[in-house]
Structures are given as C-alpha cells and as structure tokens.
Amino acid sequence: MTTWEPPVPALSVRQVLALERVLAGEPEVVAGAGRLDRPVRWVHVAEAADVGVMLSGGEMVLTTGVLLAGDEHKQTEYVRSLHHAEASAVVLGLGRAFPSPPEAMRRAAERCQLPLVVLHRPFPFAQLTEEVQSRLVRRKFAAVSLSEAVRTGLTALITGGAPLQRLLDEIARHSGCPVVVTNLAHRVLGTAGERSAVDDVLRDWERIARQAGRSEGDGWIRAELGGRGEPWGRLVLCGYRGDTETGRLLADRAAEALVLHRMLGAGCSWEEQSALSLLTDLVGGAVPARHLLPRARAAGLPVNRRTFVPLVVRGRRAAPLDRTMRLLGLPGIAGELSATAAAVLLSLARDQDAEALTAHFAARLRAEPADEHVVVAAAAARTSFDDVPAGLREARHVADAVADDAAALDLPPVVRLRDVHLRGLVRLLRDDPQVQSFAERELAGLLCDPGEELLPVLRTYLATGRNKSRTAQLHHVSRPALYRRLEAIQIRLGVDLDDFEQAASLHIALLAHDAQQR
C-alpha cells in the first residue's frame, strides 16, 4: 500500500509571484496586498480594455496597458471590470505605455482589493503563462488521478463485502487527515485516521462539527450522505492539507461510496456498528477507558457526572435492545457480542435509582413472549468511566456462567455476581489443566458416547437440584422414561446420584466441561 502524498495545491497569487521566472521581472505589489492568497485558476494575456466580459473568475490577467495609456477613466473602469469578473489579480508590465505604476489604476485596485502587480523589468509573458498553466494542469491531473484511485479502491472494498471501518480507513489513507461520519444530529457513526488526531477532533465534537458546517475553512470539508433527495448523514474531512477543490472532489467520491455501501449493506446498521466498536474496545481493555471518552461522547453517550450500568443480555439482538432503551427513556448504547449475546451500557443521572431502572429494563425484555428465557446480567453500577471496562467484563462473566442452564435455573430478573456462586468460580478456573482433567475423568462414561443425549439430562437434573418432575417436564419425557435415563447415567458413570457428594462432584465437572466448551 503506497503512502499518501497531497496533490499539487492550487497556486495562489503569492505563489505565482514567488516563481523564479516571475522574480526575474522584479514584481512589486502596489495594491491589494491583503488578497495575495487568492487562488489562480488560469492566466490570460490580454490587452483589450473590455477583457472583463471574457473572464469567468479566478484568472490572473497579464497586460502592458497599451490601450489604457493616457485615459484615467479607462484605467479605473478596467480595474472595476476585472473586479466584477472576480479575477484573481492583474499584472502590469511597465514600459512605454506606463513607465511607472499608474495612480488611477492603483487607487481603483486598492478600493476593490484586487491585487495589482507591476513588473519593473521587461518580461516575456509567454514564459509566465507556460509555467503557471503547466503547474495547473499537473494539479488537475493529480486531482483526477486521486479521484479515480479513491473510486476504484472503495468500489473494490464494497464488492468484496468490506465493513464500514475498512472503507473509512481507505478514505483516511487518501485524505491524510481524520475522517468522521455522523448522522444529521452530529452523532458520530464512524471515524478513521491517526488515533491521536481523531481523539483531538472528537474531544469537543459537537461544537466543532457545528462550526465546520458553516464553512470549509482550515481544511474542514464535508459531503452530504443520503439518497432520493433525503440526507441522513455527513462525511467530514477534518483538517485536509490539500487544496479545497481537490478535497471536495475526494469527499464527494467517498460519500458516493459510503451511500452505496449503506444501500447494499446487510446486518447491523452503522449506528449499531459504532456502538459495538466502542463496547468491544471497552470490554477488551487494550485501550484505557479515559482514551475512549471522546468516542463515547461523540457517539451520543452522556459521560459527565453519570452513573454507568454495565449489562450483558443473552437472547436478544442489539437493535431491539436499542429500541427498548429509547422506549423507556434510558440513555445508553448496545452492541452485539455474538449471535446470542449483546452488551449494554446504560448512562443514568446520579440521582436516578440504577437498580430499579435496570430491573425495569430487564422486566420489559422478559415480558415479550419471544424472550421468555432472556438473561440480563449486570455488574455493580460505576460512577467513573474508568471502571466501565471491568464492569462489562464482570457482566459478561455472569452471563456466561448461567448461559447453558438459564431455563433450568431459578434466576432473578437481573443476575449479578452474587447469584452465580459456584458457576462463576468454575468458569474462572476453566483453563486450569487440573480442572480440565477432573471434568474429563468424572464425565468420561458419557462423553465417549454423546449420541444418547444423557449428558443434557444429567445437566438439567443437577441444575434443578435433582428435581425429577422439573427435569422430565423440561425434557418433555414421562417420569418412567426419565428414571430409565437416570439409571443409565449411574451405570455409565459408576455413581449414585442420590449421594450428595457424588452428585456435587458431577455438577462441578459438568460446569467445568460446559465452561471449557464455551
């Protein structure tokens, strides 16, 4: 992958005057010195007094003024016409027509703030036009090449099924600056670029975004995202170092690709991907939580003086969870950790009852028929964002500890660390070789021939506290059929299930086995 280099920037009047060929003519700015950063779109050599009508804006006009000599009114009107045509500057070669800078033109140019430059030495205008035109052509070619490179690269990623983040990384590589995608409320849906630069941009994102929306100064370039005349988001290049025209071209190409990606995309939305990315980084712990604060704030999560409730929910997808939070008026984010589990981070005001609101949230989820066996695992509420990663890991640990036997266990609406007891301890020790050996040894008689499905029966029987009626009900078998299976289990394992110690040993072995399988 090649390193990005900014395209040749547009030439300004100041840069043109600094060219070696121009310096040979001893240029002097006699008016409009404050406007030398105007871009030069083209260079014209013109002696016609009414040249202004032939311009389209951004031209640097070169003249000897031979048709203006001796008539101050014409000189003044000439400058005014160039001003109205939005010329970038006028360069006057001193000679027979004007041996010194004409005062009438100087005054008119100063009033119009049009840069007026005089050349004190004879100068071949053809050399200047050749130099500037070649530079401008190279710049145009560089811009077109960049545009095509961006289009080709992003199209290949889209057809290859790349995620949104991969596209944003590619855009950031071409632009050489932080890239931010937001919805219309300025909520950040995705970012790319050097991590420290992105964090600087996100630290006060909402204020910065609203200011950037009013102009494209200082390299802030944005493009609308939408379809069928309805905008739904924005792409912002933050601090683009090239010229504005090339930046706009790049932003437009990137926006086209992002719109196409969203139209063709399947699975979770960009909002969900943004929340999942943040939650994954928080759970992983590789990045300190304080470094993720700008992302959390920019994603719309309230973080100042809040109480954070880390949750892991099994049996629900992230999108329904997000809708449930909105329905209950609970600020937070949700993201899928797997096909059966999602992480949730609620952000509550300090004066709100965290436990009561968490219980209300869980009750709402469990009330839906499709989510009869949903498990809501919660860690203790945190008042510092730095403690959120540990809380999310605790909630995930609790959810995983009860995942296999959730239907058989008599769980509270919100499961906490104090509710998992032995399950939690065994799961923490699941990678210990001695624990693994113990589980294999205790269950060997069933593990060698899993086809008879005796292991699930044993799991349910022990999880229900050796309740035969409940076990038969959960496995949809008659009591006699269950007795035959329990007898087969005892024979296979050489144990007495009525013996508490032997049953407890099997229970621990099963917990360890299930934890290892997960």
Side-chain angles (χ1 to χ4, degrees):
M1 184 175 291
T2 58
T3 303
W4 177 88
E5 292 183 3
V8 178
L11 289 174
S12 65
V13 175
R14 190 188 308 279
Q15 289 171 318
V16 171
L17 298 181
L19 295 176
E20 186 176 348
R21 291 185 178 181
V22 180
L23 291 175
E26 298 182 6
E28 178 189 0
V29 180
V30 297
R35 305 300 297 276
L36 295 183
D37 290 322
R38 282 181 168 181
V40 176
R41 189 180 62 82
W42 210 243
V43 176
H44 280 302
V45 179
E47 298 295 349
D50 59 350
V51 66
V53 300
M54 295 180 284
L55 304 180
S56 58
E59 296 89 352
M60 174 179 278
V61 177
L62 312 180
T63 183
T64 61
V66 65
L67 301 180
L68 303 175
D71 191 330
E72 292 189 355
H73 177 71
K74 279 187 177 182
Q75 295 168 19
T76 300
E77 288 303 313
Y78 178 80
V79 171
R80 287 177 178 171
S81 69
L82 293 181
H83 169 64
H84 291 311
E86 297 183 351
S88 60
V90 57
V91 178
L92 176 65
L94 299 182
R96 286 178 296 176
F98 292 102
S100 62
E103 185 62 21
M105 290 183 68
R106 191 198 67 77
R107 288 196 303 268
E110 196 63 52
R111 285 194 298 269
C112 297
Q113 282 297 291
L114 174 69
L116 172 60
V117 182
V118 296
L119 300 175
H120 288 278
R121 293 175 62 86
F123 182 85
F125 283 168
Q127 292 184 9
L128 175 57
T129 57
E130 179 185 3
E131 176 79 12
V132 175
Q133 312 300 44
S134 64
R135 287 174 177 263
L136 291 175
V137 167
R138 288 200 300 272
R139 171 192 162 275
K140 292 288 186 184
F141 179 76
V144 171
S145 298
L146 174 63
S147 172
E148 288 308 307
V150 172
R151 187 199 301 272
T152 302
L154 295 180
T155 300
L157 290 175
I158 293 171
T159 55
L164 171 64
Q165 188 59 52
R166 185 67 187 85
L167 267 68
L168 295 181
D169 290 340
E170 183 74 358
I171 296 168
R173 184 178 73 84
H174 283 291
S175 66
C177 68
V179 176
V180 178
V181 174
T182 76
N183 61 16
L184 296 181
H186 303 291
R187 177 176 175 179
V188 174
L189 306 180
T191 63
E194 185 181 348
R195 189 74 265 163
S196 60
V198 171
D199 288 344
D200 287 341
V201 167
L202 296 183
R203 195 157 282 115
D204 194 12
W205 172 251
E206 187 167 340
R207 180 185 62 81
I208 292 175
R210 295 184 188 281
Q211 288 181 346
R214 292 196 290 266
S215 66
E216 291 189 337
D218 298 325
W220 285 73
I221 299 172
R222 68 176 190 165
E224 298 294 325
L225 303 175
R228 298 180 180 178
E230 291 293 331
W232 44 258
R234 296 184 182 92
L235 165 76
V236 185
L237 305 184
C238 309
Y240 180 70
R241 292 180 288 126
D243 66 287
T244 301
E245 182 181 346
T246 304
R248 286 199 195 101
L249 186 62
L250 171 59
D252 288 342
R253 291 291 176 268
E256 291 170 4
L258 293 179
V259 169
L260 179 61
H261 181 272
R262 183 163 174 134
M263 289 173 59
L264 299 178
C268 60
S269 68
W270 287 3
E271 289 82 356
E272 292 172 272
Q273 291 181 47
S274 173
L276 175 58
S277 174
L278 175 58
L279 286 167
T280 300
D281 286 345
L282 284 169
V283 171
V287 181
R290 61 181 178 277
H291 293 169
L292 298 174
L293 262 175
R295 285 174 58 191
R297 187 180 291 110
L301 184 73
V303 294
N304 295 329
R305 296 186 58 78
R306 307 292 289 186
T307 296
F308 302 100
V309 181
L311 306 171
V312 168
V313 180
R314 287 195 171 274
R316 286 282 287 205
R317 292 180 60 85
L321 289 170
D322 196 52
R323 287 196 295 270
T324 302
M325 285 190 291
R326 288 197 301 269
L327 184 64
L328 299 178
L330 297 175
I333 54 175
E336 253 180 54
L337 299 175
S338 67
T340 58
V344 178
L345 181 60
L346 300 180
S347 176
L348 308 176
R350 291 283 176 87
D351 58 353
Q352 290 181 294
D353 188 332
E355 287 207 14
L357 289 175
T358 304
H360 186 41
F361 176 65
R364 185 65 183 239
L365 295 180
R366 295 166 69 95
E368 300 184 24
D371 294 317
E372 180 181 356
H373 299 307
V374 68
V375 174
V376 180
R382 265 68 174 173
T383 56
S384 170
F385 195 75
D386 286 343
D387 297 331
V388 166
L392 285 168
R393 289 192 290 272
E394 178 184 316
R396 189 173 192 177
H397 164 66
V398 172
D400 288 347
V402 300
D404 293 309
D405 299 318
L409 297 172
D410 184 18
L411 297 173
V414 179
V415 188
R416 301 184 184 276
L417 190 60
R418 61 177 178 265
D419 301 314
V420 297
H421 305 296
L422 180 62
R423 292 174 176 274
L425 176 62
V426 171
R427 189 177 183 281
L428 289 175
L429 299 174
R430 65 180 177 175
D431 295 326
D432 187 293
Q434 295 186 36
V435 173
Q436 295 172 0
S437 176
F438 168 76
E440 291 292 320
R441 184 172 62 251
E442 290 289 301
L443 301 173
L446 299 183
L447 296 177
C448 63
D449 187 12
E452 296 185 34
E453 298 186 356
L454 296 178
L455 198 65
V457 173
L458 176 62
R459 181 184 293 110
T460 303
Y461 179 65
L462 296 175
T464 57
R466 296 184 292 176
N467 186 320
K468 295 182 175 66
S469 298
R470 179 65 175 154
T471 302
Q473 179 184 13
L474 289 172
H475 284 273
H476 307 289
V477 297
S478 64
R479 290 284 291 268
L482 175 65
Y483 293 155
R484 287 194 295 272
R485 295 186 186 184
L486 292 176
E487 182 65 27
I489 290 171
Q490 293 184 106
I491 294 173
R492 289 282 190 89
L493 298 180
V495 298
D496 180 4
L497 291 177
D498 291 329
D499 183 277
F500 175 79
E501 185 173 339
Q502 294 183 54
S505 181
L506 285 176
H507 191 197
I508 294 171
L510 261 176
L511 293 176
H513 170 75
D514 291 342
Q516 291 157 20
Q517 295 303 307
R518 295 188 63 78

